[in-house]
PDB file of all heavy atoms in Angstrom:
ATOM      1  N   ALA A  61       0.853  -1.167  -0.036  1.00 96.00           N
ATOM      2  CA  ALA A  61      -0.046   0.006   0.036  1.00 96.00           C
ATOM      3  C   ALA A  61       0.862   1.273   0.087  1.00 96.00           C
ATOM      4  O   ALA A  61       0.645   2.204  -0.750  1.00 96.00           O
ATOM      5  CB  ALA A  61      -0.905  -0.040   1.196  1.00 96.00           C
ATOM      6  N   ALA A  62       1.909   1.243   0.871  1.00 95.00           N
ATOM      7  CA  ALA A  62       2.721   2.506   0.920  1.00 95.00           C
ATOM      8  C   ALA A  62       3.477   2.699  -0.331  1.00 95.00           C
ATOM      9  O   ALA A  62       3.679   3.882  -0.760  1.00 95.00           O
ATOM     10  CB  ALA A  62       3.693   2.382   2.170  1.00 95.00           C
ATOM     11  N   GLN A  63       3.987   1.585  -0.952  1.00 96.00           N
ATOM     12  CA  GLN A  63       4.786   1.706  -2.199  1.00 96.00           C
ATOM     13  C   GLN A  63       4.018   2.088  -3.355  1.00 96.00           C
ATOM     14  O   GLN A  63       4.647   2.712  -4.411  1.00 96.00           O
ATOM     15  CB  GLN A  63       5.585   0.569  -2.355  1.00 96.00           C
ATOM     16  CG  GLN A  63       6.671   0.316  -1.270  1.00 96.00           C
ATOM     17  CD  GLN A  63       7.223  -1.169  -1.305  1.00 96.00           C
ATOM     18  OE1 GLN A  63       6.914  -1.949  -2.103  1.00 96.00           O
ATOM     19  NE2 GLN A  63       8.263  -1.227  -0.488  1.00 96.00           N
ATOM     20  N   THR A  64       2.742   1.681  -3.423  1.00 95.00           N
ATOM     21  CA  THR A  64       2.039   1.782  -4.636  1.00 95.00           C
ATOM     22  C   THR A  64       0.933   2.960  -4.679  1.00 95.00           C
ATOM     23  O   THR A  64       0.481   3.375  -5.641  1.00 95.00           O
ATOM     24  CB  THR A  64       1.267   0.594  -5.093  1.00 95.00           C
ATOM     25  OG1 THR A  64       0.254   0.309  -4.024  1.00 95.00           O
ATOM     26  CG2 THR A  64       2.238  -0.521  -5.307  1.00 95.00           C
ATOM     27  N   GLY A  65       0.486   3.284  -3.494  1.00 93.00           N
ATOM     28  CA  GLY A  65      -0.414   4.356  -3.242  1.00 93.00           C
ATOM     29  C   GLY A  65      -1.840   3.801  -3.486  1.00 93.00           C
ATOM     30  O   GLY A  65      -2.772   4.625  -3.544  1.00 93.00           O
ATOM     31  N   ILE A  66      -1.979   2.522  -3.694  1.00 95.00           N
ATOM     32  CA  ILE A  66      -3.267   1.850  -3.837  1.00 95.00           C
ATOM     33  C   ILE A  66      -3.667   1.340  -2.415  1.00 95.00           C
ATOM     34  O   ILE A  66      -2.795   0.717  -1.715  1.00 95.00           O
ATOM     35  CB  ILE A  66      -3.197   0.679  -4.739  1.00 95.00           C
ATOM     36  CG1 ILE A  66      -2.619   1.043  -6.180  1.00 95.00           C
ATOM     37  CG2 ILE A  66      -4.509   0.020  -4.803  1.00 95.00           C
ATOM     38  CD1 ILE A  66      -3.646   1.974  -6.806  1.00 95.00           C
ATOM     39  N   PRO A  67      -4.907   1.629  -1.918  1.00 97.00           N
ATOM     40  CA  PRO A  67      -5.262   0.943  -0.637  1.00 97.00           C
ATOM     41  C   PRO A  67      -5.328  -0.598  -0.693  1.00 97.00           C
ATOM     42  O   PRO A  67      -5.867  -1.213  -1.677  1.00 97.00           O
ATOM     43  CB  PRO A  67      -6.820   1.410  -0.511  1.00 97.00           C
ATOM     44  CG  PRO A  67      -6.799   2.695  -1.385  1.00 97.00           C
ATOM     45  CD  PRO A  67      -5.930   2.400  -2.471  1.00 97.00           C
ATOM     46  N   VAL A  68      -4.591  -1.143   0.129  1.00 98.00           N
ATOM     47  CA  VAL A  68      -4.421  -2.589   0.227  1.00 98.00           C
ATOM     48  C   VAL A  68      -4.701  -2.890   1.694  1.00 98.00           C
ATOM     49  O   VAL A  68      -3.879  -2.629   2.533  1.00 98.00           O
ATOM     50  CB  VAL A  68      -2.880  -3.117  -0.135  1.00 98.00           C
ATOM     51  CG1 VAL A  68      -2.831  -4.712  -0.160  1.00 98.00           C
ATOM     52  CG2 VAL A  68      -2.574  -2.582  -1.587  1.00 98.00           C
ATOM     53  N   ILE A  69      -5.694  -3.697   1.898  1.00 98.00           N
ATOM     54  CA  ILE A  69      -6.158  -3.888   3.300  1.00 98.00           C
ATOM     55  C   ILE A  69      -5.830  -5.246   3.813  1.00 98.00           C
ATOM     56  O   ILE A  69      -6.037  -6.294   3.005  1.00 98.00           O
ATOM     57  CB  ILE A  69      -7.690  -3.783   3.360  1.00 98.00           C
ATOM     58  CG1 ILE A  69      -8.175  -2.487   2.722  1.00 98.00           C
ATOM     59  CG2 ILE A  69      -8.321  -3.945   4.751  1.00 98.00           C
ATOM     60  CD1 ILE A  69      -7.676  -1.271   3.481  1.00 98.00           C
ATOM     61  N   PHE A  70      -5.272  -5.353   4.975  1.00 98.00           N
ATOM     62  CA  PHE A  70      -4.860  -6.648   5.539  1.00 98.00           C
ATOM     63  C   PHE A  70      -6.064  -7.095   6.305  1.00 98.00           C
ATOM     64  O   PHE A  70      -6.406  -6.666   7.408  1.00 98.00           O
ATOM     65  CB  PHE A  70      -3.763  -6.392   6.447  1.00 98.00           C
ATOM     66  CG  PHE A  70      -3.148  -7.522   7.163  1.00 98.00           C
ATOM     67  CD1 PHE A  70      -2.228  -8.396   6.558  1.00 98.00           C
ATOM     68  CD2 PHE A  70      -3.433  -7.830   8.614  1.00 98.00           C
ATOM     69  CE1 PHE A  70      -1.773  -9.407   7.095  1.00 98.00           C
ATOM     70  CE2 PHE A  70      -2.788  -8.994   9.091  1.00 98.00           C
ATOM     71  CZ  PHE A  70      -1.959  -9.799   8.319  1.00 98.00           C
ATOM     72  N   ALA A  71      -6.695  -8.100   5.838  1.00 97.00           N
ATOM     73  CA  ALA A  71      -7.926  -8.766   6.407  1.00 97.00           C
ATOM     74  C   ALA A  71      -7.621 -10.268   6.736  1.00 97.00           C
ATOM     75  O   ALA A  71      -8.465 -11.199   6.438  1.00 97.00           O
ATOM     76  CB  ALA A  71      -9.196  -8.596   5.598  1.00 97.00           C
ATOM     77  N   VAL A  72      -6.400 -10.529   7.296  1.00 96.00           N
ATOM     78  CA  VAL A  72      -6.025 -11.839   7.679  1.00 96.00           C
ATOM     79  C   VAL A  72      -6.372 -12.014   9.070  1.00 96.00           C
ATOM     80  O   VAL A  72      -6.171 -11.303   9.934  1.00 96.00           O
ATOM     81  CB  VAL A  72      -4.451 -12.029   7.540  1.00 96.00           C
ATOM     82  CG1 VAL A  72      -4.027 -13.404   7.993  1.00 96.00           C
ATOM     83  CG2 VAL A  72      -4.104 -11.839   6.041  1.00 96.00           C
ATOM     84  N   VAL A  73      -7.057 -13.238   9.222  1.00 95.00           N
ATOM     85  CA  VAL A  73      -7.442 -13.567  10.754  1.00 95.00           C
ATOM     86  C   VAL A  73      -6.317 -14.260  11.264  1.00 95.00           C
ATOM     87  O   VAL A  73      -5.775 -15.185  10.746  1.00 95.00           O
ATOM     88  CB  VAL A  73      -8.754 -14.529  10.610  1.00 95.00           C
ATOM     89  CG1 VAL A  73      -9.138 -15.213  11.818  1.00 95.00           C
ATOM     90  CG2 VAL A  73      -9.798 -13.853   9.965  1.00 95.00           C
ATOM     91  N   THR A  74      -5.949 -13.755  12.399  1.00 93.00           N
ATOM     92  CA  THR A  74      -4.736 -14.377  13.213  1.00 93.00           C
ATOM     93  C   THR A  74      -5.282 -14.676  14.584  1.00 93.00           C
ATOM     94  O   THR A  74      -5.685 -13.789  15.375  1.00 93.00           O
ATOM     95  CB  THR A  74      -3.679 -13.331  13.264  1.00 93.00           C
ATOM     96  OG1 THR A  74      -4.066 -12.166  13.853  1.00 93.00           O
ATOM     97  CG2 THR A  74      -3.042 -13.028  11.961  1.00 93.00           C
ATOM     98  N   THR A  75      -5.350 -16.051  14.817  1.00 92.00           N
ATOM     99  CA  THR A  75      -5.994 -16.393  16.104  1.00 92.00           C
ATOM    100  C   THR A  75      -5.176 -17.491  16.814  1.00 92.00           C
ATOM    101  O   THR A  75      -4.186 -18.094  16.257  1.00 92.00           O
ATOM    102  CB  THR A  75      -7.433 -16.940  15.742  1.00 92.00           C
ATOM    103  OG1 THR A  75      -7.219 -18.224  14.982  1.00 92.00           O
ATOM    104  CG2 THR A  75      -8.270 -15.934  15.098  1.00 92.00           C
ATOM    105  N   GLU A  76      -5.632 -17.706  18.080  1.00 91.00           N
ATOM    106  CA  GLU A  76      -5.018 -18.826  18.891  1.00 91.00           C
ATOM    107  C   GLU A  76      -5.603 -20.081  18.568  1.00 91.00           C
ATOM    108  O   GLU A  76      -4.971 -21.222  18.651  1.00 91.00           O
ATOM    109  CB  GLU A  76      -5.280 -18.417  20.264  1.00 91.00           C
ATOM    110  CG  GLU A  76      -4.554 -17.121  20.780  1.00 91.00           C
ATOM    111  CD  GLU A  76      -3.089 -17.166  20.758  1.00 91.00           C
ATOM    112  OE1 GLU A  76      -2.503 -18.271  21.077  1.00 91.00           O
ATOM    113  OE2 GLU A  76      -2.416 -16.181  20.276  1.00 91.00           O
ATOM    114  N   THR A  77      -6.946 -20.166  18.179  1.00 90.00           N
ATOM    115  CA  THR A  77      -7.552 -21.353  17.969  1.00 90.00           C
ATOM    116  C   THR A  77      -8.488 -21.336  16.739  1.00 90.00           C
ATOM    117  O   THR A  77      -8.840 -20.353  16.160  1.00 90.00           O
ATOM    118  CB  THR A  77      -8.609 -21.705  19.290  1.00 90.00           C
ATOM    119  OG1 THR A  77      -9.608 -20.800  19.160  1.00 90.00           O
ATOM    120  CG2 THR A  77      -7.801 -21.708  20.532  1.00 90.00           C
ATOM    121  N   ILE A  78      -8.857 -22.520  16.347  1.00 92.00           N
ATOM    122  CA  ILE A  78      -9.805 -22.730  15.146  1.00 92.00           C
ATOM    123  C   ILE A  78     -11.161 -22.098  15.417  1.00 92.00           C
ATOM    124  O   ILE A  78     -11.801 -21.424  14.631  1.00 92.00           O
ATOM    125  CB  ILE A  78      -9.919 -24.221  14.698  1.00 92.00           C
ATOM    126  CG1 ILE A  78     -10.738 -24.268  13.372  1.00 92.00           C
ATOM    127  CG2 ILE A  78     -10.539 -24.947  15.815  1.00 92.00           C
ATOM    128  CD1 ILE A  78     -10.005 -23.921  12.254  1.00 92.00           C
ATOM    129  N   GLU A  79     -11.613 -22.191  16.645  1.00 90.00           N
ATOM    130  CA  GLU A  79     -12.875 -21.710  17.140  1.00 90.00           C
ATOM    131  C   GLU A  79     -12.791 -20.091  16.975  1.00 90.00           C
ATOM    132  O   GLU A  79     -13.833 -19.539  16.547  1.00 90.00           O
ATOM    133  CB  GLU A  79     -13.184 -22.069  18.543  1.00 90.00           C
ATOM    134  CG  GLU A  79     -13.511 -23.558  18.737  1.00 90.00           C
ATOM    135  CD  GLU A  79     -12.210 -24.443  18.892  1.00 90.00           C
ATOM    136  OE1 GLU A  79     -11.133 -23.947  19.040  1.00 90.00           O
ATOM    137  OE2 GLU A  79     -12.410 -25.613  18.668  1.00 90.00           O
ATOM    138  N   GLN A  80     -11.751 -19.525  17.197  1.00 90.00           N
ATOM    139  CA  GLN A  80     -11.591 -18.031  17.097  1.00 90.00           C
ATOM    140  C   GLN A  80     -11.659 -17.693  15.716  1.00 90.00           C
ATOM    141  O   GLN A  80     -12.262 -16.663  15.335  1.00 90.00           O
ATOM    142  CB  GLN A  80     -10.434 -17.486  17.819  1.00 90.00           C
ATOM    143  CG  GLN A  80     -10.403 -17.551  19.338  1.00 90.00           C
ATOM    144  CD  GLN A  80      -9.048 -17.238  19.910  1.00 90.00           C
ATOM    145  OE1 GLN A  80      -7.993 -17.238  19.257  1.00 90.00           O
ATOM    146  NE2 GLN A  80      -9.052 -16.903  21.183  1.00 90.00           N
ATOM    147  N   ALA A  81     -11.085 -18.477  14.880  1.00 92.00           N
ATOM    148  CA  ALA A  81     -10.985 -18.184  13.423  1.00 92.00           C
ATOM    149  C   ALA A  81     -12.426 -18.278  12.851  1.00 92.00           C
ATOM    150  O   ALA A  81     -12.804 -17.544  11.905  1.00 92.00           O
ATOM    151  CB  ALA A  81     -10.183 -19.255  12.767  1.00 92.00           C
ATOM    152  N   ILE A  82     -13.135 -19.350  13.249  1.00 92.00           N
ATOM    153  CA  ILE A  82     -14.606 -19.394  12.841  1.00 92.00           C
ATOM    154  C   ILE A  82     -15.473 -18.207  13.160  1.00 92.00           C
ATOM    155  O   ILE A  82     -16.211 -17.732  12.421  1.00 92.00           O
ATOM    156  CB  ILE A  82     -15.257 -20.741  13.280  1.00 92.00           C
ATOM    157  CG1 ILE A  82     -14.504 -21.950  12.700  1.00 92.00           C
ATOM    158  CG2 ILE A  82     -16.646 -20.726  12.990  1.00 92.00           C
ATOM    159  CD1 ILE A  82     -14.751 -23.306  13.198  1.00 92.00           C
ATOM    160  N   GLU A  83     -15.192 -17.713  14.475  1.00 89.00           N
ATOM    161  CA  GLU A  83     -15.979 -16.488  14.947  1.00 89.00           C
ATOM    162  C   GLU A  83     -15.633 -15.389  14.070  1.00 89.00           C
ATOM    163  O   GLU A  83     -16.511 -14.505  13.828  1.00 89.00           O
ATOM    164  CB  GLU A  83     -15.544 -16.329  16.356  1.00 89.00           C
ATOM    165  CG  GLU A  83     -15.974 -17.385  17.334  1.00 89.00           C
ATOM    166  CD  GLU A  83     -15.629 -17.023  18.713  1.00 89.00           C
ATOM    167  OE1 GLU A  83     -14.930 -16.153  19.016  1.00 89.00           O
ATOM    168  OE2 GLU A  83     -16.002 -17.944  19.646  1.00 89.00           O
ATOM    169  N   ARG A  84     -14.386 -15.222  13.625  1.00 89.00           N
ATOM    170  CA  ARG A  84     -13.953 -14.045  12.782  1.00 89.00           C
ATOM    171  C   ARG A  84     -14.277 -14.100  11.319  1.00 89.00           C
ATOM    172  O   ARG A  84     -13.953 -13.115  10.637  1.00 89.00           O
ATOM    173  CB  ARG A  84     -12.549 -13.642  13.195  1.00 89.00           C
ATOM    174  CG  ARG A  84     -12.380 -13.200  14.553  1.00 89.00           C
ATOM    175  CD  ARG A  84     -10.899 -13.299  14.987  1.00 89.00           C
ATOM    176  NE  ARG A  84     -10.703 -12.768  16.324  1.00 89.00           N
ATOM    177  CZ  ARG A  84     -11.066 -13.291  17.608  1.00 89.00           C
ATOM    178  NH1 ARG A  84     -11.593 -14.466  17.484  1.00 89.00           N
ATOM    179  NH2 ARG A  84     -10.784 -12.715  18.585  1.00 89.00           N
ATOM    180  N   SER A  85     -14.702 -15.221  11.006  1.00 90.00           N
ATOM    181  CA  SER A  85     -14.957 -15.420   9.586  1.00 90.00           C
ATOM    182  C   SER A  85     -16.374 -15.542   9.187  1.00 90.00           C
ATOM    183  O   SER A  85     -16.832 -16.136   8.140  1.00 90.00           O
ATOM    184  CB  SER A  85     -14.173 -16.603   8.975  1.00 90.00           C
ATOM    185  OG  SER A  85     -14.602 -17.901   9.560  1.00 90.00           O
ATOM    186  N   GLY A  86     -17.218 -15.096  10.027  1.00 83.00           N
ATOM    187  CA  GLY A  86     -18.633 -15.179   9.710  1.00 83.00           C
ATOM    188  C   GLY A  86     -19.613 -15.498  10.879  1.00 83.00           C
ATOM    189  O   GLY A  86     -20.857 -15.727  10.538  1.00 83.00           O
ATOM    190  N   SER A  87     -19.180 -15.740  11.974  1.00 77.00           N
ATOM    191  CA  SER A  87     -20.129 -16.084  12.965  1.00 77.00           C
ATOM    192  C   SER A  87     -20.177 -14.969  14.099  1.00 77.00           C
ATOM    193  O   SER A  87     -20.363 -13.809  13.764  1.00 77.00           O
ATOM    194  CB  SER A  87     -19.884 -17.487  13.733  1.00 77.00           C
ATOM    195  OG  SER A  87     -18.734 -17.531  14.449  1.00 77.00           O
ATOM    196  N   LYS A  88     -19.881 -15.272  15.270  1.00 74.00           N
ATOM    197  CA  LYS A  88     -20.105 -14.258  16.375  1.00 74.00           C
ATOM    198  C   LYS A  88     -19.404 -12.877  16.184  1.00 74.00           C
ATOM    199  O   LYS A  88     -19.932 -11.853  16.593  1.00 74.00           O
ATOM    200  CB  LYS A  88     -19.561 -14.959  17.761  1.00 74.00           C
ATOM    201  CG  LYS A  88     -20.406 -15.942  18.261  1.00 74.00           C
ATOM    202  CD  LYS A  88     -19.937 -16.293  19.713  1.00 74.00           C
ATOM    203  CE  LYS A  88     -19.912 -17.824  19.819  1.00 74.00           C
ATOM    204  NZ  LYS A  88     -19.267 -18.034  21.146  1.00 74.00           N
ATOM    205  N   ALA A  89     -18.167 -13.019  15.747  1.00 70.00           N
ATOM    206  CA  ALA A  89     -17.305 -11.777  15.672  1.00 70.00           C
ATOM    207  C   ALA A  89     -17.339 -11.127  14.334  1.00 70.00           C
ATOM    208  O   ALA A  89     -16.415 -10.374  13.978  1.00 70.00           O
ATOM    209  CB  ALA A  89     -15.912 -12.109  16.087  1.00 70.00           C
ATOM    210  N   GLY A  90     -18.293 -11.399  13.530  1.00 87.00           N
ATOM    211  CA  GLY A  90     -18.467 -10.734  12.212  1.00 87.00           C
ATOM    212  C   GLY A  90     -17.636 -11.444  11.216  1.00 87.00           C
ATOM    213  O   GLY A  90     -17.177 -12.680  11.334  1.00 87.00           O
ATOM    214  N   ASN A  91     -17.214 -10.732  10.028  1.00 94.00           N
ATOM    215  CA  ASN A  91     -16.472 -11.446   9.047  1.00 94.00           C
ATOM    216  C   ASN A  91     -15.391 -10.338   8.698  1.00 94.00           C
ATOM    217  O   ASN A  91     -15.751  -9.226   8.131  1.00 94.00           O
ATOM    218  CB  ASN A  91     -17.377 -11.621   7.925  1.00 94.00           C
ATOM    219  CG  ASN A  91     -16.631 -12.471   6.674  1.00 94.00           C
ATOM    220  OD1 ASN A  91     -15.672 -11.824   6.232  1.00 94.00           O
ATOM    221  ND2 ASN A  91     -17.127 -13.582   6.367  1.00 94.00           N
ATOM    222  N   LYS A  92     -14.132 -10.688   8.855  1.00 96.00           N
ATOM    223  CA  LYS A  92     -13.021  -9.681   8.641  1.00 96.00           C
ATOM    224  C   LYS A  92     -12.953  -9.450   7.076  1.00 96.00           C
ATOM    225  O   LYS A  92     -12.323  -8.472   6.729  1.00 96.00           O
ATOM    226  CB  LYS A  92     -11.874 -10.283   9.229  1.00 96.00           C
ATOM    227  CG  LYS A  92     -11.858 -10.372  10.753  1.00 96.00           C
ATOM    228  CD  LYS A  92     -12.322  -9.196  11.451  1.00 96.00           C
ATOM    229  CE  LYS A  92     -12.517  -9.397  12.997  1.00 96.00           C
ATOM    230  NZ  LYS A  92     -13.415  -8.261  13.434  1.00 96.00           N
ATOM    231  N   GLY A  93     -13.292 -10.442   6.275  1.00 96.00           N
ATOM    232  CA  GLY A  93     -13.282 -10.057   4.834  1.00 96.00           C
ATOM    233  C   GLY A  93     -14.336  -9.099   4.479  1.00 96.00           C
ATOM    234  O   GLY A  93     -13.988  -8.128   3.544  1.00 96.00           O
ATOM    235  N   TYR A  94     -15.461  -9.025   5.004  1.00 97.00           N
ATOM    236  CA  TYR A  94     -16.477  -8.002   4.831  1.00 97.00           C
ATOM    237  C   TYR A  94     -15.844  -6.744   5.230  1.00 97.00           C
ATOM    238  O   TYR A  94     -15.979  -5.696   4.594  1.00 97.00           O
ATOM    239  CB  TYR A  94     -17.744  -8.424   5.487  1.00 97.00           C
ATOM    240  CG  TYR A  94     -18.845  -7.464   5.484  1.00 97.00           C
ATOM    241  CD1 TYR A  94     -19.760  -7.406   4.428  1.00 97.00           C
ATOM    242  CD2 TYR A  94     -19.094  -6.425   6.489  1.00 97.00           C
ATOM    243  CE1 TYR A  94     -20.777  -6.485   4.283  1.00 97.00           C
ATOM    244  CE2 TYR A  94     -19.990  -5.530   6.357  1.00 97.00           C
ATOM    245  CZ  TYR A  94     -21.003  -5.563   5.295  1.00 97.00           C
ATOM    246  OH  TYR A  94     -21.927  -4.599   5.211  1.00 97.00           O
TER     247      TYR A  94
END
């Protein structure tokens, strides 16, 4: 993003557990891609 001037968004889920990943990809904690 800094080098090109194009907005590049980091929407990578980084979690301790698979359950947390599921929550952040469309259940309790929303969807980080959205």
Side-chain angles (χ1 to χ4, degrees):
Q63 292 167 357
T64 65
I66 302 294
V68 183
I69 306 301
F70 184 75
V72 176
V73 171
T74 58
T75 64
E76 300 292 321
T77 66
I78 186 76
E79 292 79 16
Q80 290 173 342
I82 291 168
E83 288 174 1
R84 288 163 177 77
S85 66
S87 70
K88 289 187 223 176
N91 185 305
K92 299 309 174 198
Y94 178 87

